[in-house]
């Protein structure tokens, strides 16, 4: 512990002796420690304090002596400014861990002579956060494993556990001539009014999975395994992680914390502002409100952001600010307030080693202020008043009452029809009846009373947003579909109530993007993704996205697949919202969608391999490699894209896998490829993920799902058609070791770069394109792929030039086009044509999924996303881009491509 270069040891000792009788008596009783402190040797004083219990008659005496010595050294170092607050509370908390562990071990050893296996002490509250007060109680939960608990042969496990618990409490809490160690409060245990002091692990798990209360979730934010069988305690906390950190944002937590706060304020009759009788812990703007402020935000956001799952209050505030959940200014102000209030709290407790948080009156208040180094009590109260006011203002804003005049008032019956008329809805009586029917029981998400109550409160906000939309009835229709599809919507209602600004985003989704609206109906919690500073940011690289998808704590294969689907769905939804809001270029959106798919493939394949190897082991010298083609190979997907892949494996055909159920290499890798496809495409509890298309594999649907590198190379050299080599021009190895990827890339390069007969190649390309045009005509005026001069024609042209001239091979079509332009094989205008049509493809999949002219609002959003003034301007730019491609086609093939017709822009 840092002794602090500017510490005032002399002044601290003087104040301690003059204003803290407990410290004065302790210093007189321990002259050696007092001498070290007087010499400014805080580190030495702490080291000597750690030995204060040596030679004691029993554990209880040893702990009491160490506690007194440690408390004295810490107090003087604190007063001197040598030991920062977090070091003081950390040292006290570490001693509490040791003391609790020693007491439990002694209780068990005196009866059985055994180690304390199977007996667990979970630290909660300030102890769990390593923020113990100077004179704090500790609030552990004691658990035991009946199978592992040491006991005498005839002892019942439950009776033995209660005996050990009682003895632990007695050893720590009894006041003797040596004082006490810690007062132990076990009332945080499950159902404390009826339950025994120590709870079986199984019963505790059942409680937290089924009947725990909201305050218990907040308590377990700071829980940790502190003593006894620590490994078993950590396993228990891991098992209840989903109880504490709920999967979705839980804005209902604000209501729970609000109600708890109101009960505390109602039961606390003291002053609401600093002065005699003010409670630094429970008073308005006090320590508890800072803790609740941090914990409420942690409960809401911690499931989605593991960086918020920290125990300390200051650490939590800093993490919340770093994640963009709260303002940095609020984090700093509340953090500094917390530190100062805790320091004053310590001064109160140092006077007589009492667990008090209340400012005294008169001379006693002056005494505390002077112990702290201030002139008098009035100066201390003045300082605290400013601190408390700032805390109270921020906390009151967080828990603002739902019935505040600024909040909407539920409307129903005739009042609903009148309100709809005021908002300008057509046929308000009919619409009011329809809205009223939502609560008649036919909509599952509105069957519970809490859901109906939350929805009625939310309805005025939604109606205002719907009325302001360009197509209010369409927004309302799609909202009804969300309600019908959602299995539960209470959390969505709470989310919109607490963040009304999100209603604007919701309406935008409902009006503009039916695909996103349908997805929201299946998973209402997707709206959570629009909260936080990352809501409008593109995801990182493949490794970063894969890191988010991996669930190291997933208990089984299915849970890992759920995690992949959940994160993928969140990212795709967020990218969809960014698309319709024109936050980013659709080209960047398409690349982000591709990175997301690659990460999902990587994590799903790893999970499938691990599961497969449990039964079948590994094939020595072999591995599965996935080759991406089409838009996945090119690195730009849309929201509607399938994943075009080929499964390949390295090694030969000899031998078999080394698992309990061995398989030959071909059978092994084909079965494994099936497993990877299922991991990506089979719906789980979290829904579907991707359609996987493997038809581009050698011999198509007639061939095996996975082939060896050698067989793939032989097929591509000897049997593959021209169209297969064209597809290979956009192929990219996506999984496998670096060596395997490099080997596969070399095979692909050797195939693509071989000489070809130009006339044969030209005939093949033209014939294939004509057949496609016959069998796959454009689906509408916004079909950027199939309209003549569109992306398919451009891709055919690029692949023809690549294969003819053995140049510009890059799976990224944009990079390939750049090279061909630089080599003079394509006009420069093709660059912009490709960019515009790719933007139209990516954005159009959401804003015009049927490829017809969309509604006015969606048309405006589509134009904005593509950088055009309006839809007509976009359509004319699209026609010009197609004409540029048609010109390049004629230049390369000597044959006209059907020019865009005037009607195409209608």
């Amino acid at each position: 512990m840092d002794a602090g270069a500017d510490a005032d040891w002399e002044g601290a000792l003087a104040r301690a002796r003059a204003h803290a009788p407990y410290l004065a008596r302790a210093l007189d009783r321990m002259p050696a420690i007092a001498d070290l402190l007087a010499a400014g040797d805080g580190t030495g004083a702490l080291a000597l304090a750690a030995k204060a219990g040596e030679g004691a008659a029993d554990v209880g005496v040893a702990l009491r002596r160490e506690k007194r010595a440690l408390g004295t050294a810490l107090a003087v170092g604190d007063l001197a400014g040598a030991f920062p607050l977090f070091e003081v509370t950390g040292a006290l908390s570490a001693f509490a861990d040791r003391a609790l562990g020693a007491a439990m071990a002694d209780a068990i050893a005196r009866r059985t002579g055994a180690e304390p296996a199977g007996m667990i002490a979970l630290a909660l509250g300030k102890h769990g956060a390593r923020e113990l007060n100077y004179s704090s109680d500790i609030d552990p939960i004691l658990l035991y494993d009946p199978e592992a608990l040491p006991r005498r042969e005839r002892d019942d496990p439950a009776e033995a556990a209660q005996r050990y618990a009682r003895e632990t409490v007695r050893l720590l809490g009894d006041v003797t001539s040596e004082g006490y160690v810690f007062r132990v409060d076990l009332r945080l245990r499950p159902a404390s009014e009826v339950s025994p002091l120590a709870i079986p692990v199984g019963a505790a798990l059942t409680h937290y999975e089924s009947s725990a209360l909201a305050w218990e979730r907040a308590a377990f934010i700071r829980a940790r395994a502190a003593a006894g069988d620590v490994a078993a305690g950590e396993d228990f906390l891991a098992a209840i992680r989903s109880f504490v950190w709920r999967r979705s944002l839980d804005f209902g937590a604000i209501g729970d914390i609000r109600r708890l706060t109101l009960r505390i304020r109602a039961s606390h009759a003291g002053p609401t502002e600093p002065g005699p009788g003010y409670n630094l812990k429970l008073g308005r703007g006090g320590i508890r409100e800072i803790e609740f402020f941090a914990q409420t935000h942690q409960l809401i956001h911690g499931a989605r952001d593991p960086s918020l799952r920290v125990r300390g209050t200051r650490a939590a505030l800093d993490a919340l600010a770093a994640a963009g959940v709260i303002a940095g200014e609020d984090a700093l102000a509340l953090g500094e307030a917390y530190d100062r209030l805790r320091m004053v709290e310590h001064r109160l407790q140092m006077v007589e080693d009492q667990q008090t948080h209340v400012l005294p009156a008169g001379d006693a208040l002056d005494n505390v202020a002077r112990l702290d180094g201030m002139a008098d009590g009035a100066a201390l109260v003045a300082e605290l008043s400013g601190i408390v006011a700032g805390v109270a203002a921020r906390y009151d804003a967080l828990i603002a009452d739902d019935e505040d005049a600024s909040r909407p008032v539920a409307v129903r019956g005739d009042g609903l029809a009148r309100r709809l008329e005021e908002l300008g809805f057509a046929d308000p009586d009919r619409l009011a009846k329809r809205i009223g029917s939502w609560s008649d029981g036919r909509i599952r998400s509105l069957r519970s009373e809490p859901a109906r109550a939350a929805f009625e409160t939310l309805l005025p906000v939604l109606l205002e947003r719907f009325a302001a939309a360009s197509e209010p009835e369409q927004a309302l229709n799609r909202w009804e579909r969300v309600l019908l599809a959602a299995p539960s919507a209470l959390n969505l209602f709470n989310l919109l109530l607490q963040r009304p600004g999100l209603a604007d985003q919701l309406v935008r989704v409902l009006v503009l993007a039916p695909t996103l609206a349908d997805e929201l109906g299946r998973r209402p919690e997707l709206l959570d993704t629009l909260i936080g500073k990352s809501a409008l940011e593109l995801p990182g690289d493949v490794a970063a996205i894969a890191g988010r998808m991996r669930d190291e704590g997933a208990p089984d294969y299915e849970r890992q697949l759920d995690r992949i689907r959940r994160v993928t769905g969140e990212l795709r939804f967020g990218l969809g919202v960014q698309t319709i809001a024109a936050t980013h270029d659709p080209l960047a959106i398409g690349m982000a969608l591709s990175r997301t798919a690659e990460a999902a493939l990587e994590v799903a394949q790893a999970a499938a391999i691990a599961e497969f190897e449990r039964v079948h082991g590994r094939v020595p010298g072999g591995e599965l490699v996935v080759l991406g083609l089409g838009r996945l190979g090119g690195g730009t997907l849309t929201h509607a894209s399938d994943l075009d892949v080929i499964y390949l494996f390295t090694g030969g055909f000899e031998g078999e896998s080394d698992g309990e159920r061995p398989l030959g290499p071909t059978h092994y890798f084909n079965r494994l490829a099936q497993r990877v496809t299922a991991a990506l495409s089979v719906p789980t509890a979290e829904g579907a993920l991707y359609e996987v298309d493997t038809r581009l594999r050698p011999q198509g649907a007639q061939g095996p799902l996975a082939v060896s590198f050698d067989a793939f190379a032989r097929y591509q050299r000897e049997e593959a058609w021209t169209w297969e080599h064209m597809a290979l021009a956009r192929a990219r190895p996506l999984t496998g070791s670096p060596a395997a990827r490099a080997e596969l890339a070399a095979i692909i390069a050797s195939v693509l770069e071989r000489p070809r007969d130009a006339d044969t190649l030209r005939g093949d390309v033209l014939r294939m394109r004509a057949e496609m045009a016959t069998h796959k005509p454009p689906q509408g005026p916004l079909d950027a792929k199939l309209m003549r001069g569109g992306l398919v024609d451009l891709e055919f042209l690029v692949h023809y030039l690549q294969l003819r001239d053995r140049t510009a091979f890059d799976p990224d079509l944009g990079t390939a086009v750049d090279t061909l332009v630089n080599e003079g094989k394509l006009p420069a205008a093709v660059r912009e044509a490709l960019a515009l049509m790719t933007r139209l493809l990516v954005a159009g999949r959401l804003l015009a999924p049927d490829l017809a002219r969309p509604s006015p609002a969606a048309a405006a959003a589509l134009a904005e996303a593509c950088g055009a003034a309006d839809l007509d301007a976009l359509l004319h730019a699209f026609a010009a881009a197609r004409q540029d491609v048609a010109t390049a086609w004629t230049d390369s093939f000597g044959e006209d491509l059907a020019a865009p017709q005037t009607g195409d822009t209608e």
Side-chain angles (χ1 to χ4, degrees):
M1 187 174 285
D2 183 8
D6 299 325
D8 179 13
W9 293 99
E10 182 179 350
L13 284 166
R15 297 200 310 276
R17 292 185 182 278
H19 302 293
Y22 171 76
L23 292 181
R25 292 192 298 270
L27 289 166
D28 290 342
R29 193 168 178 174
M30 297 177 292
I33 287 179
D35 289 344
L36 287 170
L37 293 171
D41 187 1
T43 301
L46 290 175
L48 186 58
K51 301 177 181 179
E54 292 181 354
D58 58 47
V59 170
V61 173
L63 291 174
R64 282 162 174 76
R65 291 176 180 174
E66 184 180 352
K67 169 70 179 300
R68 180 172 58 247
L70 176 67
T72 302
L74 288 172
V76 175
D78 183 359
L79 292 171
F83 301 157
L85 175 68
F86 73 92
E87 292 186 358
V88 174
T89 58
L92 291 169
S93 301
F95 173 71
D97 291 354
R98 297 197 303 276
L100 189 53
M104 290 171 58
D106 184 68
I108 293 173
R110 281 191 286 111
R111 183 149 183 95
T112 67
E115 294 295 318
M119 192 78 179
I120 302 165
L122 302 178
L124 276 74
K126 288 185 171 64
H127 183 193
R130 294 186 170 88
E131 295 177 336
L132 272 184
N133 295 333
Y134 184 76
S135 298
S136 185
D137 296 349
I138 56 174
D139 305 278
I141 291 178
L142 302 182
L143 306 175
Y144 70 93
D145 179 353
E147 301 299 322
L149 186 71
R151 63 186 191 280
R152 292 180 180 176
E153 186 175 347
R154 295 183 179 180
D155 284 353
D156 176 78
E159 293 177 357
Q162 306 324 308
R163 180 181 292 111
Y164 302 151
R166 287 193 300 271
E167 184 61 17
T168 298
V169 171
R170 184 200 63 77
L171 194 151
L172 294 176
D174 281 0
V175 179
T176 71
S177 60
E178 297 282 354
Y180 70 101
V181 189
F182 287 103
R183 292 170 290 270
V184 181
D185 187 344
L186 298 177
R187 288 177 295 176
L188 293 183
R189 68 187 187 276
S192 61
E193 65 281 0
V194 296
S195 63
L197 299 181
I199 311 293
V201 169
L205 284 172
T206 299
H207 171 79
Y208 293 119
E209 290 171 353
S210 62
S211 56
L213 302 174
W215 68 264
E216 292 176 283
R217 288 183 61 212
F220 268 91
I221 288 177
R222 301 191 287 181
R224 61 184 175 85
D229 194 337
V230 172
E234 290 173 345
D235 289 343
F236 176 83
L237 291 175
I240 66 167
R241 186 181 295 126
S242 60
F243 153 71
V244 182
W245 306 111
R246 291 183 178 169
R247 192 171 64 195
S248 301
L249 294 180
D250 183 10
F251 276 86
I254 290 185
D256 295 331
I257 294 295
R258 177 189 298 115
R259 288 185 287 273
L260 181 58
T261 299
L262 294 176
R263 285 200 299 272
I264 292 173
R265 287 181 174 178
S267 63
H268 175 60
T272 58
E273 296 180 356
Y278 176 78
N279 191 307
L280 294 171
K281 177 179 179 181
L282 301 179
R284 184 174 181 272
I287 293 167
R288 176 61 56 81
E289 295 191 353
I290 300 174
E291 293 171 342
F292 277 6
F293 184 94
Q295 290 164 20
T296 300
H297 286 98
Q298 286 178 284
L299 286 175
I300 293 170
H301 300 274
R304 299 174 55 81
D305 187 347
S307 72
L308 305 181
R309 301 177 195 175
V310 295
R311 296 186 179 97
T313 302
R314 282 301 302 263
L317 291 168
D318 291 342
L320 290 164
V325 175
I326 65 174
E329 177 186 355
D330 289 342
L332 180 62
L334 291 173
E336 291 179 347
Y338 184 76
D339 285 356
R340 183 56 180 147
L341 291 172
R342 290 297 307 277
M343 289 177 67
V344 177
E345 178 186 51
H346 281 196
R347 306 297 182 257
L348 289 172
Q349 295 172 355
M350 289 174 186
V351 174
E352 281 294 359
D353 189 26
Q354 293 178 341
Q355 175 69 336
T356 180
H357 314 278
V358 177
L359 295 179
D363 293 342
L365 180 60
D366 290 337
N367 183 69
V368 170
R370 288 166 185 150
L371 175 63
D372 186 57
M374 302 192 76
D376 53 30
L380 177 60
V381 167
E383 180 193 13
L384 293 176
S385 295
I387 292 171
V388 164
V391 172
R394 289 175 169 85
Y395 189 69
D396 287 347
L398 172 67
I399 64 162
D401 193 343
D402 281 338
E403 298 305 319
D404 187 273
S406 64
R407 302 302 298 268
V409 178
V411 290
R412 56 176 72 87
D414 293 340
L416 176 56
R418 285 195 300 272
R419 183 57 179 151
L420 290 168
E421 185 176 14
E422 291 170 1
L423 291 171
F425 282 94
D427 201 351
D429 291 328
R430 175 188 59 82
L431 204 54
K433 290 179 181 178
R434 178 179 169 193
I435 293 172
S437 72
W438 292 348
S439 300
D440 64 7
R442 68 187 178 93
I443 296 180
R444 178 173 50 169
S445 59
L446 286 172
R447 286 175 187 165
S448 73
E449 183 56 39
R452 286 195 298 272
F455 179 68
E456 286 188 0
T457 307
L458 172 66
L459 185 58
V461 174
L462 290 180
L463 293 179
E464 289 178 4
R465 298 309 197 278
F466 292 162
S470 57
E471 297 167 43
E473 285 249 11
Q474 184 182 70
L476 194 140
N477 291 340
R478 289 180 178 160
W479 171 248
E480 185 175 42
R481 289 205 294 270
V482 169
L483 293 178
L484 286 166
S488 172
L490 176 58
N491 202 44
L492 174 61
F493 300 156
N494 282 325
L495 172 62
L496 291 167
L497 281 169
Q498 296 298 334
R499 298 290 176 90
L502 281 179
D504 295 325
Q505 296 273 32
L506 170 66
V507 172
R508 192 174 184 88
V509 168
L510 296 175
V511 170
L512 299 179
T515 301
L516 297 182
D518 291 343
E519 188 63 27
L520 189 62
R522 287 187 291 270
R523 293 184 56 200
E525 67 273 12
L526 285 172
L527 205 61
D528 300 352
T529 62
L530 304 184
I531 295 178
K533 69 177 185 180
S534 63
L536 298 180
E537 295 177 355
L538 295 170
D541 59 17
V542 173
I545 299 171
R548 291 179 58 179
M549 292 181 181
R550 290 190 187 93
D551 186 353
E552 305 298 343
D556 52 42
Y557 177 57
E558 287 72 21
R559 195 72 61 85
Q560 176 64 76
L561 298 188
D562 283 345
R563 172 80 176 182
I564 297 169
R565 282 156 174 74
R566 185 161 61 251
V567 174
T568 300
E570 291 168 355
L571 290 173
R572 283 164 57 90
F573 184 81
L575 289 168
V577 173
Q578 293 173 25
T579 302
I580 66 176
T583 306
H584 296 288
D585 189 331
L587 299 179
I589 297 288
M591 289 186 283
L593 287 168
S594 184
R595 295 196 300 275
T596 300
E598 291 174 50
L601 170 62
E602 177 184 312
V603 179
Q605 178 173 327
I609 289 174
E611 181 72 5
F612 195 74
E613 288 178 350
R614 286 195 312 107
V615 177
H616 302 292
R618 300 182 180 182
V619 172
E623 64 175 298
L624 185 71
V625 179
V626 177
L627 182 66
L629 298 101
R631 294 206 155 274
L632 179 62
T636 302
L637 293 180
T638 74
H639 276 81
S641 294
D642 296 343
L643 304 187
D644 293 313
V645 302
I646 296 175
Y647 292 109
L648 303 163
F649 61 89
T650 63
F653 303 98
E654 303 299 323
E656 58 184 16
S657 62
D658 56 11
E660 293 180 7
R661 294 169 57 186
L663 298 171
T666 299
H667 193 194
Y668 180 97
F669 286 112
N670 273 271
R671 289 271 303 278
L672 178 55
Q674 291 174 346
R675 186 69 65 91
V676 174
T677 295
L680 287 166
S681 59
V682 172
T684 72
E686 291 291 334
L689 194 57
Y690 292 103
E691 291 294 326
V692 178
D693 190 339
T694 60
R695 290 174 296 176
L696 292 174
R697 67 186 186 270
Q699 299 174 350
Q702 306 305 314
L705 186 60
V707 299
S708 71
F709 275 22
D710 288 343
F712 176 74
R714 185 167 54 253
Y715 175 84
Q716 292 293 340
R717 287 194 300 265
E718 300 174 5
E719 302 180 50
W721 295 66
T722 298
W723 67 264
E724 292 177 282
H725 288 171
M726 292 170 63
L728 210 59
R730 300 192 74 185
R732 181 165 57 101
L734 299 178
T735 68
S737 66
R741 294 194 198 194
E743 182 182 352
L744 180 56
I747 292 172
I748 294 169
S750 70
V751 172
L752 294 177
E753 292 173 358
R754 72 180 189 177
R756 299 169 194 277
D757 180 81
D759 291 337
T760 301
L761 176 65
R762 176 181 178 278
D764 287 346
V765 172
L766 292 175
R767 184 168 51 255
M768 286 185 292
R769 183 63 186 103
E771 290 176 359
M772 178 181 286
T774 300
H775 295 101
K776 295 184 70 175
Q779 301 300 302
L782 293 172
D783 194 338
K785 284 181 64 175
L786 296 175
M787 292 284 282
R788 297 316 303 261
L791 287 170
V792 168
D793 284 324
L794 178 54
E795 289 166 8
F796 270 59
L797 174 57
V798 168
H799 297 329
Y800 165 68
L801 295 173
Q802 288 172 316
L803 294 174
R804 187 193 71 181
D805 297 339
R806 291 180 286 167
T807 187
F809 290 118
D810 194 292
D812 182 332
L813 198 63
T815 303
V817 166
D818 284 342
T819 302
L820 292 170
V821 169
N822 293 337
E823 292 178 354
K825 294 178 173 64
L826 283 177
V830 173
R831 280 193 182 111
E832 280 307 311
L834 171 62
L836 174 71
M837 291 189 290
T838 303
R839 290 186 179 101
L840 179 56
L841 179 73
V842 173
R845 290 303 188 198
L846 291 177
L847 293 162
D850 60 359
L851 304 179
R853 191 179 188 115
S855 68
L862 180 61
E864 182 182 10
C866 295
D870 54 33
L871 183 62
D872 287 337
L874 175 60
L875 287 170
H876 284 292
F878 179 32
R882 289 159 47 213
Q883 183 61 64
D884 290 334
V885 172
T887 300
W889 181 281
T890 301
D891 291 344
S892 296
F893 287 109
E895 174 182 288
D896 286 344
L897 186 68
Q901 301 300 311
T902 304
D904 291 340
T905 63
E906 294 304 315

